[in-house]
Each structure stands twice: as structure tokens, then as C-alpha cells.
Amino acid sequence: MHVPDGFINAPVSAAAGVVAAGAVALSLRGARRELDERTAPLAGLVAAFIFAVQMLNFPVAAGTSGHLLGGALAAILVGPFTGVLCVSVVLLMQGILFADGGLTALGVNVTDMAITTTVVAYAVFRVLVKVLPRKRRSVTVASFVAALLSVPAAAVVFTLVYAVGGTTDVALSKVATAMVGVHVLIGIGEAVITALTVGAVIAVRPDLVHGARGLEQRLKLRVNGELVDAPAAGAPAPARSSHRKVWITGLVTSLVLAGFVSFYASASPDGLEKVAKDKGIDTRTKAHASEDSPLAGYGVKDVSDARLSGGLAGVIGVGATVAAGSGVFWAVRRRRTADTSPASVPDGV
């Protein structure tokens, strides 16, 4: 669903940029409350994992493919504010390094793929975990439904943006029907990937899953014939080596997916590309400002072997994303530490 340059006119693209910038600024502040010594390293890894999985287009219909958007996954694992930042980092890396998603359309893409998916998914997720039994399995089920709904929601938002600022004269009803229809199918793939990933993390380190916090059932004791909550036990904090093991496992998985498995991804156009071509939305597409990038098109320039070229590009992308993301989240985490240090707390507080 990466919107290229030329689909949306300049005024609407600029307005979307303002919205995206405001949301990112708000998320930088909100992420201070979400990131701690456990989740700050995980957030950079989540961004890299989303980048890697987005390279794995899967077929959804005749001649059409889809890929993970990642907003639901990021929001549930590391929180909605941090989730917006994770997907935004991915979109920035893709636009600058790989010429994927227009640079003038970056605000549109952040608004659509980062903000919309994260907000919709996390809102649905929170409602579901409140009504479902307080079990880990409920977190996985809620993740599936939230991810499923977030993708067609993004398709609806793109349709609304196109209705206001589209550069081609295509009937809005045709765009809406095609976009929502194909992205409902893509949403199923998004839901499966999200639920499997959240389920895998919650099985080994539930304390790292933001959306699972506060769901543990307290042990009940019978006192004078009545069930009461047992006193909270001071469970030992997971060892630092355990954090490192999760991080290394996630990084290796991302590198394998981007560097090897991506070669077998579907070559069919994704949902937006297919709809744009079929409906004529792409007639005014402009050349990407980074089309001369040595990594444009997810391949390394001057490397003739397609498998090696794509694999190297994927590995470089994962490395760049985890470095950029970790830098952002380290800075946010450090700012939180500075804000809560004794010297920064007024007397009497």
C-alpha cells in the first residue's frame, strides 16, 4: 500500500505531511511512557522485523499479492505510540533507500500505514481483551481480529485521501470497492502473521508484550470460606541474558526472512498497485526521487545475480532499520530517564 509520488496532489500531500508530523511528535512523547529497559531494545527489533516481513509478498487473488503493514503487530508488542514510530521508521527507510513509496507522499503513507493501522488495531485490541477471558490465548485472538480490521481501514483512509486529492478522474465508488475488497483478503494474511508472532513472543516472554500487561489472573486463596486475591509474589526479573537471547533470535529471524526467504515472495503487484493499474489511478505517477539509489527496487546495483542482489538488499535494509529504530528509541528512552531523574522532579512531589 505504499503510495508513490503523483497519486495525490501537492496540497493534500502537504496536509497529510502535517498530520503525520504531528502524530509522530505526539508519539515521541507518548513512547516515553511505553519504553523501558526491556522494551526499548525490542522496539528497534520490531521495526526491523516489519521491514523484513514486508518483503514477503503473499498471493491473495489472481495476479495480486499483499504484504504485512505492521501497525497492529507493533502496537500490540510495544505499544501504540511506539508502534507508530516503528512503522514510520520502516517507511522512511523504504522511501530513502529503496525508492518504495514516494518521498512527497511520505506523509500520506505515514498517515495511512502507520497511524491508521496502529490506532484502529489497538482500539479493537483493547476492546477485545476487556471482553474476552483474561488468558494469553485471548491476546492472540484479539491480535488476529485487530490486525484483520486494520488493513481494510487503511484502504478506506487511502480512498478518502484519494477522494480529496486524487490526480486522476476515476469514480470514487470503483476505487473504494476495489481497494476495500482486495485489502480484506490481505488483512487475513496480516492477521495470521500478527497472531503467530504475538503468540510466539507471549509464549516465551509475556512480559515483553505490551498488550498483555495487566492480564495475569491473581492466585485465589480461600479464607474463612471466601475466595480472595493472594498477595502479589515478587517474581524475579528476567535475566539480561534472556533479553539478549530474544533480541538475537529476532534479529537472526529478520535477516533470514529478508536475505533468503524474500527471494520466494510473490512477484505479483500488491493491492494498491493492482487497483491503480486496473482503474487508471497510476497514469500520473512520477519518477521517484531516489530511483538512482544503489538499493532501488530492493536489489543491489551492479550485482547481476538476482538472488544475491535481493538478499544483500534485504540484509542491508534490516541492518539500517534496526540501527535507525534503535537510535530513535534509545534517545526516547534516555529522555524518559532524564525526565524522571531526581534532579528533574520538583521538591515536594
Side-chain angles (χ1 to χ4, degrees):
M1 197 182 286
H2 295 76
V3 179
D5 296 318
F7 275 26
I8 307 299
N9 63 32
V12 174
S13 295
V18 172
V19 171
V24 168
L26 179 64
S27 296
L28 286 169
R29 293 182 62 86
R32 296 182 200 171
R33 300 190 298 272
E34 296 173 345
L35 295 172
D36 55 29
E37 66 278 358
R38 297 171 301 169
T39 55
L42 179 65
L45 181 62
V46 168
F49 181 78
I50 290 173
F51 172 89
V53 179
Q54 283 196 4
M55 293 183 66
L56 308 181
N57 281 46
F58 48 85
V60 295
T64 310
S65 70
H67 62 70
L68 181 81
L69 298 185
L73 177 62
I76 294 165
L77 286 180
V78 292
F81 293 108
T82 309
V84 169
L85 298 178
C86 283
V87 182
S88 297
V89 167
V90 173
L91 292 171
L92 184 62
M93 293 297 101
Q94 290 170 332
I96 293 176
L97 298 179
F98 300 93
D100 189 10
L103 294 184
T104 62
L106 183 60
V108 174
N109 284 321
V110 169
T111 300
D112 196 24
M113 296 177 64
I115 302 170
T116 299
T117 58
T118 301
V119 171
V120 170
Y122 199 70
V124 172
F125 176 82
R126 294 311 308 174
V127 170
L128 290 177
V129 294
K130 288 182 181 296
V131 300
L132 292 172
R134 297 171 65 85
K135 298 180 179 179
R136 293 180 182 178
R137 184 176 300 176
S138 298
V139 176
T140 304
V141 172
S143 301
F144 183 95
V145 178
L148 175 64
L149 296 179
S150 70
V151 178
V156 170
V157 169
F158 168 79
T159 303
L160 295 175
V161 172
Y162 176 81
V164 177
T167 57
T168 53
D169 187 17
V170 179
L172 186 61
S173 59
K174 293 182 179 180
V175 176
T177 300
M179 283 293 293
V180 175
V182 71
H183 283 90
V184 166
L185 299 177
I186 294 173
I188 296 173
E190 177 102 10
V192 171
I193 295 170
T194 300
L196 289 176
T197 305
V198 171
V201 177
I202 204 172
V204 295
R205 286 295 303 273
D207 61 302
L208 293 180
V209 179
H210 179 90
R213 295 179 181 178
L215 295 180
E216 298 86 355
Q217 287 185 319
R218 292 284 294 276
L219 177 66
K220 297 289 185 178
L221 296 178
R222 187 174 295 277
V223 179
N224 297 327
E226 297 183 0
L227 289 177
V228 298
D229 287 334
R240 183 176 298 274
S241 60
S242 177
H243 294 194
R244 188 180 299 113
K245 183 177 180 180
V246 171
W247 197 91
I248 292 174
T249 300
L251 180 60
V252 171
T253 300
S254 300
L255 291 171
V256 170
L257 291 175
F260 177 72
V261 180
S262 62
F263 181 77
Y264 301 97
S266 173
S268 299
D270 67 21
L272 177 58
E273 291 173 331
K274 179 66 173 175
V275 172
K277 182 177 180 180
D278 290 347
K279 305 302 179 183
I281 298 175
D282 61 353
T283 56
R284 295 190 180 180
T285 303
K286 296 180 180 179
H288 199 286
S290 298
E291 63 179 356
D292 294 328
S293 166
L295 299 173
Y298 295 94
V300 178
K301 188 177 181 181
D302 297 330
V303 176
S304 57
D305 184 274
R307 185 191 298 268
L308 179 60
S309 177
L312 286 174
V315 169
I316 293 170
V318 168
T321 304
V322 76
S326 297
V328 169
F329 300 124
W330 178 83
V332 172
R333 168 64 183 152
R334 187 173 181 179
R335 181 66 180 272
R336 171 185 172 174
T337 302
D339 289 347
T340 56
S341 64
S344 66
V345 178
D347 293 340
V349 177

